[in-house]
Amino acid sequence: MSDAEQRSITIEDLSRQLVTTPNKTRRQIYTIRSEGIDIPVRVIDVPGTGAADAPLVFVFHGGFNRAQPYPFFYGSRFVGRPDTAPRTVIALCDPTLALSDSLRFGWFAGAEGVDVPGAVRTLLAAFVAQIAPSRVIVTGGSIGAHAVLTHARELPGSMVVLANPLPRIDDYHQPSVREYFNLCWPGHPARAADVPQVVNDASLAYSDMTLHNEFVILLNATDPHIYRQAAPMLANLGGRTAEPERILPVSYFFPEHAGHAFPPDELTAWVDAAVMAPEPTARMAALTREKLRAGEARPARAKATRDDPLDIELAAQLVRATQEART
Amino acid sequence: MSAHPYAGLPARAFWKKAIAERHFLDLEGLGTPIRLSREDRVATAGSCFAQHIGNRLQAAGARYLDYEPAPTGWSQGNARKHGFGVYSGRYGNIYTTRQLLQLAREATGADVHEPVIWERDGRYFDALRPSVDPAGHARPEDVVLLRQAHLEAVARLLDDLDVLVFTLGLTETWEDRRTGRVFPAAPGTIAGQYDPASIDFVNLRHGAIMDDLTAFHALLKARNPKARMVLTVSPVPLTATASGEHVLAATTYSKSVLRAAAGDFAADHDDVSYFPSYEIITAPAAAGMFFNRDLRSVNGAGVDYVMKTFFSVLEGFEPDAAQGTDIHDLDLICEEGALEKYAG
């Protein structure tokens, strides 16, 4: 029996404990039954007493190496610090992954007869109802973005913070997609587009302008998925350019994090900014200011104007070593 | 319906099936099989991009040759800065086929030349590998001593290797008018003096590159009949061109000629293979995502994908998971990058 199973709790009890005994819940893992499905959650952070209405952050993870034991959580860096602001941070683990020890990607999309999206929807709504936070932020990177987008639209006014989002199942790495459908939807074609219960493109719904969310989308410009994932997602969100203050794509080049990986501190800084930005207007500008405040200036590399004394010494060492070797 | 030569061809033969309808990171069947066993002694040489191949082969457990190791006690960073551990010999970047042939002929005694020594601020550099000593040496005779030791190491390397992976980088080079020797960097860029009366700009054409490869291959096989070669073309565009063309057009010319020559040479020789690293990085389906923001240097994701594909075509070699040194942290050493400072 895992630790998560040992701490089964109802959403009502956990919400009460978050308020009454916050220090006992911080960093703890619980299993909450929702719609008949056990969903592991980890309380990453919780505000001190008297700040129960602080912003609430939901975190969805991406793919995980199954060498790690289930359950998995992302977002341990999203804790409040003295220079940021209090918040409740709840990380969710995809219960789809409990169906097989080899499954690395589940998109929080469930399986035949296992309605994970419905269970997560009920759970998030219950948390929001019980905690009554001043603001809701939903965040995740990679394939976690699929769940973020699936559920943020059910939380009116929530803020979405994404990193290298992969909202389209069928446009992901094909062997992983096939593995998921073969294991979880046997008898169906191995494509989300052919399984009515699975949403292929979680960003598509946001072409509906009545959905009132705000977006910060962090893109590493060297992410190899950008053209099949983030680009069509931005097209779906494109109607929101009429309200440009509600969508902020941030494209960076990070040579040290080339590809799909993303510097975790960058995402953390934007989550901090989403927690801290003042209400109610010009939030994106405020976010940018907060992010810049949270970020660190990178030192410029000094240009050498003369030979490095160390290089001169090493050259002399090399000559001596060569002379010795040849005598 | 009548039969035609495209009927029954595999999916890899059709752009729509092989590229347009696939995620670019799921490409299959790219590259032809390359024979490499764990017992094969592998050496690398070439332009900057070849450094990645050597680093990754070493990390993957290949029997990688390093015939000029750094002196004992040097840190990896200092060693690489001084040209150690970058390739199998301390020759620096070998951008052109002419440079490769020239080195092999000098190392094996087929050509005998006085060393060419460049000076900068009272320090002395080996003009045929000026990047390996970033601060040069105190005396010209130090350069001569190190060059002699270097040539002996290269000769042993040519005798012992089983597989040479050579990455063709440039067609443009600078040739000494008197001796015909070519340099990896123009005089005056890293050290030395540019004298238009004694140095010529040369842009090697397809025929010249084929001649260089043919001569090198013959020399190598004469000393080491079991040797095989793997040719690749660097996807890294030119930092600068002296051809008079726009640097984009000059890059396309240079890479096209190199790609054609490498493919033709491999097709003509059973013991020479071509691996399409150039195509992987520059393909339209990659949409430039494998380049850093300078749109020139290749990012880690690109190197990862090239090497993943490279290992997938090897027959008889299963790579280890990379361990120890973080190969992403190794800086590349490029003389050609020195031209950046003249861009203004």
Side-chain angles (χ1 to χ4, degrees):
Chain A
M1 182 176 284
S2 71
D3 288 348
E5 288 167 331
Q6 289 172 9
R7 296 196 185 93
S8 293
I9 194 170
T10 65
I11 180 68
E12 293 80 10
D13 285 345
L14 178 55
S15 300
R16 191 178 313 113
Q17 290 182 24
L18 291 174
V19 175
T20 57
T21 54
N23 290 336
K24 288 186 177 176
T25 60
R26 190 175 285 118
R27 290 191 289 278
Q28 297 302 309
I29 296 173
Y30 301 91
T31 296
I32 302 175
R33 176 150 294 194
S34 176
E35 308 287 357
I37 297 173
D38 288 337
I39 302 178
V41 301
R42 184 175 191 195
V43 178
I44 303 282
D45 198 6
V46 60
T49 50
D53 65 343
L56 171 60
V57 183
F58 291 121
V59 187
F60 290 89
H61 64 73
F64 265 94
N65 182 343
R66 290 307 296 260
Q68 300 178 51
Y70 178 88
F72 322 99
F73 302 98
Y74 185 72
S76 60
R77 295 170 187 246
F78 296 157
V79 293
R81 299 181 305 276
D83 61 338
T84 57
R87 78 287 301 269
T88 302
V89 182
I90 306 286
L92 292 90
C93 173
D94 183 359
T96 310
L97 300 179
L99 300 175
S100 166
D101 288 339
S102 65
L103 193 60
R104 291 189 300 151
F105 305 94
W107 288 271
F108 286 82
E112 186 88 64
V114 185
D115 183 10
V116 170
V120 171
R121 185 182 310 118
T122 300
L123 182 68
L124 300 191
F127 264 122
V128 173
Q130 295 286 328
I131 296 174
S134 59
R135 178 183 313 172
V136 175
I137 294 138
V138 193
T139 186
S142 189
I143 68 164
H146 189 280
V148 171
L149 293 167
T150 296
H151 297 291
R153 63 194 175 97
E154 307 283 350
L155 303 167
S158 61
M159 175 151 237
V160 173
V161 183
L162 302 173
N164 285 345
L166 305 182
R168 295 153 66 96
I169 295 176
D170 284 345
D171 285 289
Y172 189 57
H173 183 241
Q174 286 304 299
S176 300
V177 174
R178 282 196 294 272
E179 181 189 34
Y180 165 69
F181 281 99
N182 289 339
L183 279 167
C184 296
W185 302 89
H188 290 270
R191 283 176 8 117
D194 294 328
V195 182
Q197 299 95 319
V198 177
V199 173
N200 175 38
D201 183 352
S203 70
L204 197 57
Y206 290 88
S207 54
D208 176 358
M209 287 300 298
T210 64
L211 293 175
H212 212 62
N213 300 87
E214 293 171 277
F215 295 85
V216 174
I217 303 157
L218 308 184
L219 299 172
N220 186 352
T222 58
D223 181 358
H225 299 286
I226 209 164
Y227 302 100
R228 285 181 177 263
Q229 297 277 354
M233 184 191 78
L234 290 171
N236 289 334
L237 297 174
R240 284 156 207 276
T241 51
E243 295 179 302
E245 72 278 9
R246 295 200 170 275
I247 175 167
L248 180 63
V250 184
S251 181
Y252 283 146
F253 291 87
F254 294 105
E256 68 275 28
H257 280 84
H260 188 56
F262 201 89
D265 289 342
E266 292 291 331
L267 179 57
T268 302
W270 280 100
V271 169
D272 285 342
V275 167
M276 297 163 69
E279 291 279 21
T281 57
R283 186 184 279 186
M284 289 300 174
L287 279 174
T288 306
R289 284 196 300 275
E290 294 291 350
K291 164 62 177 64
L292 291 174
R293 192 166 69 81
E296 292 181 1
R298 296 178 184 208
R301 186 177 290 181
K303 206 167 195 174
T305 55
R306 50 182 296 183
D307 291 329
D308 185 335
L310 176 61
D311 288 335
I312 293 174
E313 169 55 26
L314 290 172
Q317 279 184 28
L318 178 59
V319 170
R320 286 196 297 274
T322 305
Q323 286 170 332
E324 287 169 12
R326 296 173 74 81
T327 55
Chain B
M1 184 179 287
S2 60
H4 57 77
Y6 296 95
L9 289 181
R12 70 196 289 265
F14 298 93
W15 187 267
K16 184 179 177 185
K17 290 179 182 173
I19 300 291
E21 292 182 347
R22 298 189 71 89
H23 192 296
F24 190 59
L25 298 184
D26 289 334
L27 291 189
E28 287 178 353
L30 186 64
T32 51
I34 296 173
R35 186 162 50 93
L36 183 79
S37 77
R38 282 202 167 259
E39 287 69 45
D40 282 332
R41 289 165 294 193
V42 183
T44 59
S47 73
C48 305
F49 191 75
Q51 295 172 31
H52 294 300
I53 295 176
N55 296 338
R56 300 299 176 99
L57 279 168
Q58 234 173 335
R63 196 173 169 195
Y64 184 76
L65 299 180
D66 181 0
Y67 272 28
E68 287 186 272
T72 306
W74 285 29
S75 70
Q76 187 187 46
N78 284 335
R80 287 182 64 82
K81 191 176 178 189
H82 287 254
F84 293 103
V86 179
Y87 296 109
S88 297
R90 191 172 172 249
Y91 22 70
N93 294 306
I94 299 178
Y95 291 108
T96 62
T97 52
R98 184 64 49 84
Q99 208 187 328
L100 175 70
L101 175 62
Q102 171 179 284
L103 174 63
R105 289 182 63 84
E106 190 175 0
T108 58
D111 280 341
V112 178
H113 288 288
E114 289 295 313
V116 184
I117 298 173
W118 285 345
E119 186 269 345
R120 185 189 75 202
D121 301 332
R123 305 284 297 177
Y124 299 91
F125 296 76
D126 184 341
L128 300 181
R129 48 177 191 153
S131 72
V132 301
D133 292 304
H137 289 279
R139 304 175 306 167
E141 49 265 44
D142 294 341
V143 176
V144 174
L145 171 76
L146 294 171
R147 180 151 193 87
Q148 188 55 42
H150 167 61
L151 293 173
E152 291 166 9
V154 171
R156 291 197 307 275
L157 183 69
L158 294 173
D159 290 345
D160 292 349
L161 63 86
D162 294 309
V163 177
L164 172 65
V165 182
F166 180 63
T167 299
L168 293 78
L170 297 176
T171 54
E172 296 189 11
T173 190
W174 294 89
E175 185 179 80
D176 183 275
R177 190 170 293 174
R178 186 174 58 84
T179 64
R181 302 173 91 188
V182 296
F183 305 109
T189 55
I190 295 176
Q193 299 288 325
Y194 174 54
D195 174 10
S198 65
I199 194 98
D200 288 323
F201 170 74
V202 175
N203 204 357
L204 297 168
R205 297 188 176 188
H206 179 272
I209 292 167
M210 292 295 280
D211 290 346
D212 289 343
L213 288 172
T214 301
F216 173 79
H217 182 256
L219 184 155
L220 176 65
K221 298 293 278 190
R223 294 180 66 97
N224 182 353
K226 69 183 184 310
R228 309 190 301 276
M229 292 176 69
V230 176
L231 299 178
T232 67
V233 173
S234 166
V236 179
L238 277 61
T239 301
T241 179
S243 66
E245 299 291 335
H246 188 286
V247 69
L248 178 61
T251 294
T252 302
Y253 173 81
S254 191
K255 301 298 176 179
S256 303
V257 168
L258 293 172
R259 170 61 184 89
D264 288 349
F265 194 75
D268 289 347
H269 296 81
D270 291 339
D271 54 3
V272 180
S273 305
Y274 173 75
F275 176 71
S277 54
Y278 172 78
E279 286 84 337
I280 292 171
I281 298 298
T282 61
M289 68 186 169
F290 291 140
F291 287 104
N292 287 318
R293 66 177 157 185
D294 59 6
L295 299 178
R296 182 174 175 274
S297 58
V298 177
N299 61 42
V303 176
D304 284 345
Y305 193 41
V306 165
M307 292 312 297
K308 179 184 165 197
T309 309
F310 183 73
F311 287 124
S312 76
V313 302
L314 296 182
E315 286 186 335
F317 184 89
E318 191 65 35
D320 297 339
Q323 294 177 351
T325 303
D326 186 345
I327 48 182
H328 292 95
D329 286 347
L330 299 177
D331 285 336
L332 293 191
I333 314 293
C334 291
E335 294 95 337
E336 205 209 358
L339 298 176
E340 278 283 331
K341 63 187 176 191
Y342 303 110

